[in-house]
């Protein structure tokens, strides 16, 4: 599932086939039929992230719903406004109890299903239904309904940790702030960093250990980032 996530990311960035239409079709198949998610939902979120990475109110990836505070300025703003929804001085402790285990199994699943229905992404919904049909037809004979649901939840629980580690390690250490109206190149560089290259890191991260190159050349096939 994690590797299918990196694969749909490739198709979503139109970096596999020469024709955009082929990328779009296979993107819907991979994210819909292999993962049970929505291509339109992903595009809407991810393109905002690439346009304005690490910018509050514009990058959905740094919208922490008052659960965490990020960067240097947000904690100060929350302090001045006396916004204390949670004990943020302990967020480094409860981060591991909330963000990695719940992002994909709970938050993303609710957001994906509600978005497909609310915005009438019926084609995406059909692809997602095909994923669940295939999954339950495959596993119910072995584990029953409850066992299959538990397996699905456990797989997404593990994948969520994997996803959070990869996506946060190359953005969160960088500048996170409000809009500063920088030029595009500077804004990309301020929000991204790379992780050491190795055969394992390339595989584990879907080559997103080359986050700088990915943000500067988002349609480049990922196996070329190292060049």
């Amino acid at each position: 599932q994690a590797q299918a996530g990196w694969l749909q990311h490739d198709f979503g960035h139109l970096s596999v086939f020469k024709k955009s239409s082929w990328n779009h079709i296979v993107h819907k198949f991979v994210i819909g039929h292999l993962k049970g998610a929505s291509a339109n939902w992903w595009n809407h979120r991810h393109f905002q992230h690439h346009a304005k990475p690490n910018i509050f109110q514009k990058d959905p990836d740094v919208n922490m719903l008052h659960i965490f505070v990020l960067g240097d300025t947000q904690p100060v703003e929350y302090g001045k406004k006396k916004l204390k929804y949670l004990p943020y001085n302990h967020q480094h402790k409860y981060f591991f109890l909330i963000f990695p285990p719940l992002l994909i199994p709970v938050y993303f699943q609710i957001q994906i299903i509600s978005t497909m229905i609310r915005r009438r992404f019926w084609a995406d919904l059909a692809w997602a239904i095909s994923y669940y049909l295939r999954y339950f037809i495959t596993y119910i004979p072995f584990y029953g309904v409850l066992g299959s649901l538990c397996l699905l939840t456990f797989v997404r629980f593990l994948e969520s940790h994997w996803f959070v580690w990869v996506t946060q390690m190359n953005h969160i250490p960088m500048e996170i702030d409000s809009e500063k109206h920088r030029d595009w190149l500077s804004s990309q560089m301020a929000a991204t960093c790379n992780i050491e290259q190795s055969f394992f890191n390339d595989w584990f991260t879907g080559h997103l250990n080359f986050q700088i190159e990915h943000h500067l050349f988002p349609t480049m096939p990922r196996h070329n980032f190292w060049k």
Side-chain angles (χ1 to χ4, degrees):
Q1 282 296 300
Q3 291 301 326
W6 308 142
L7 184 60
Q8 69 82 22
H9 179 259
D10 295 334
F11 289 114
H13 276 292
L14 314 180
S15 66
V16 181
F17 296 114
K18 290 183 178 180
K19 288 188 176 182
S20 294
S21 57
W22 294 3
N23 283 292
H24 286 303
I25 291 169
V26 183
H27 184 220
K28 287 184 178 294
F29 171 80
V30 175
I31 196 172
H33 184 67
L34 299 186
K35 293 191 65 62
S38 163
N40 284 311
W41 166 84
W42 183 87
N43 287 337
H44 182 68
R45 278 186 62 96
H46 199 64
F47 294 169
Q48 289 181 83
H49 164 69
H50 269 266
K52 298 288 184 179
N54 282 12
I55 295 177
F56 292 124
Q57 311 301 326
K58 296 186 177 181
D59 179 3
D61 288 3
V62 295
N63 176 18
M64 295 296 166
L65 306 172
H66 302 303
I67 298 173
F68 305 101
V69 289
L70 302 175
D72 295 325
T73 60
Q74 192 178 49
V76 176
E77 291 175 0
Y78 272 53
K80 289 179 179 177
K81 296 177 182 177
K82 299 191 184 321
L83 299 175
K84 196 172 183 181
Y85 298 95
L86 286 167
Y88 299 118
N89 55 315
H90 294 292
Q91 68 176 14
H92 60 293
K93 299 173 185 175
Y94 67 74
F95 170 87
F96 299 98
L97 300 174
I98 297 176
F99 197 23
L102 299 181
L103 181 66
I104 289 179
V106 179
Y107 180 65
F108 273 1
Q109 290 311 307
I110 293 172
Q111 195 179 64
I112 288 167
I113 293 170
S114 64
T115 298
M116 288 191 294
I117 295 172
R118 191 175 66 252
R119 300 199 175 188
R120 300 182 180 181
F121 295 151
W122 304 130
D124 285 3
L125 184 61
W127 279 116
I129 290 172
S130 77
Y131 162 82
Y132 287 104
L133 285 174
R134 175 180 56 82
Y135 176 86
F136 287 114
I137 288 171
T138 302
Y139 287 107
I140 285 177
F142 296 98
Y143 305 120
V145 175
L146 182 59
S148 299
L149 282 171
C150 288
L151 176 61
L152 178 63
T153 303
F154 182 63
V155 167
R156 286 180 169 165
F157 170 82
L158 291 178
E159 181 195 2
S160 191
H161 284 78
W162 189 333
F163 176 81
V164 168
W165 277 108
V166 171
T167 56
Q168 302 308 306
M169 68 185 182
N170 41 36
H171 283 298
I172 294 299
M174 304 303 288
E175 181 181 299
I176 306 173
D177 210 335
S178 54
E179 177 66 85
K180 291 187 175 179
H181 302 288
R182 288 192 178 103
D183 62 274
W184 181 83
L185 178 63
S186 298
S187 68
Q188 300 299 317
M189 295 296 292
T192 55
C193 66
N194 283 0
I195 307 301
E196 183 177 342
Q197 192 273 332
S198 69
F199 178 81
F200 174 79
N201 283 353
D202 290 353
W203 171 82
F204 187 82
T205 68
H207 290 87
L208 294 181
N209 48 333
F210 293 97
Q211 193 69 212
I212 296 171
E213 287 76 11
H214 172 60
H215 267 256
L216 295 182
F217 308 100
T219 60
M220 181 186 290
R222 58 163 135 142
H223 57 269
N224 288 325
F225 287 157
W226 68 274
K227 298 177 182 179

